[in-house]
Amino acid sequence: MTSPMLGRTVLAIDELIQRPDIAEIVAELHDLMTKQGLGWLQDQHAAAAAQVHDRMDVVNELIGKEMRHLPASDHPDWIRLGLLTAFITWAAGKSGTCRHNPSATRPQPVAAAAWKPGLVVCNACVRMLTLPRNSPKDRTCDACGTITAGKAEGNGIWSVTVAHGAFIYMAGVCRDCKYWTE
């Protein structure tokens, strides 16, 4: 997939997921896929998405936070477009992966991070996305590039994790780029 084609695809999907009638469109696609004999793929994807949702619930409970369900339009462009770019590149077979080689044709929970573009990993290999603790990269805002003092203290980095089905996208933001309220 060429860069212009990737860009056009990402922008088209971004426009689609922000439509007010997206639920109806997804239901139509679901029906079409079922008629084409691809119901098994949808079932696997739904199971993987449920695993992601359950794990995010557990993590949020452990850290004492509440999961927020935000429509796509409530996320800034750099998050939506970053997630979609990571997803489309991976689905096209153009991303690096962990040794388990997760594939969009074999739905399972997978993760990508703004700070490691071009890499998608399975749950067992999510550690590949970690950065050395308190390193300059660990303290860099993925939105604006500011290197902060540290983790979420005053002028630190706040973590954001966005799930789109079974695809998890993580980023870190500084105080000025944090787009949600506590």
Side-chain angles (χ1 to χ4, degrees):
M1 179 174 284
T2 65
S3 289
M5 183 184 283
L6 172 64
R8 286 191 302 273
T9 302
V10 166
L11 291 174
I13 293 172
D14 183 51
E15 184 178 318
L16 176 67
I17 65 174
Q18 293 186 70
R19 287 182 52 160
D21 60 343
I22 186 63
E24 292 85 13
I25 293 169
V26 169
E28 282 182 44
L29 287 172
H30 179 78
D31 291 344
L32 285 171
M33 288 181 72
T34 301
K35 288 176 185 169
Q36 294 297 317
L38 296 171
W40 63 271
L41 184 62
Q42 294 177 123
D43 292 345
Q44 284 186 339
H45 186 278
Q51 284 179 336
V52 165
H53 188 273
D54 291 346
R55 286 188 183 136
M56 289 179 78
D57 266 346
V58 168
V59 168
N60 283 329
E61 189 174 310
L62 287 172
I63 64 173
K65 299 286 182 185
E66 188 175 313
M67 185 167 23
R68 294 180 184 97
H69 299 275
L70 301 176
S73 59
D74 283 3
H75 295 285
D77 291 349
W78 70 270
I79 285 279
R80 288 191 328 276
L81 300 176
L83 181 152
L84 291 171
T85 299
F87 177 79
I88 297 300
T89 303
W90 169 67
K94 302 297 183 188
S95 284
T97 65
C98 62
R99 64 186 174 103
H100 300 107
N101 196 24
S103 167
T105 61
R106 295 183 318 275
Q108 64 178 299
V110 293
W115 58 84
K116 287 208 177 175
L119 178 63
V120 175
V121 299
C122 69
N123 271 342
C125 296
V126 78
R127 68 189 172 286
M128 291 176 66
L129 297 175
T130 60
L131 295 169
R133 186 163 294 219
N134 210 27
S135 66
K137 276 196 128 189
D138 190 40
R139 295 181 287 116
T140 300
C141 176
D142 292 312
C144 70
T146 298
I147 299 175
T148 67
K151 290 276 189 184
E153 23 185 83
N155 186 24
I157 292 290
W158 282 261
S159 296
V160 58
T161 302
V162 179
H164 186 72
F167 195 88
I168 298 167
Y169 187 72
M170 299 175 286
V173 297
C174 68
R175 175 181 54 218
D176 294 337
C177 294
K178 186 173 166 235
Y179 61 94
W180 64 92
T181 56
E182 290 300 322

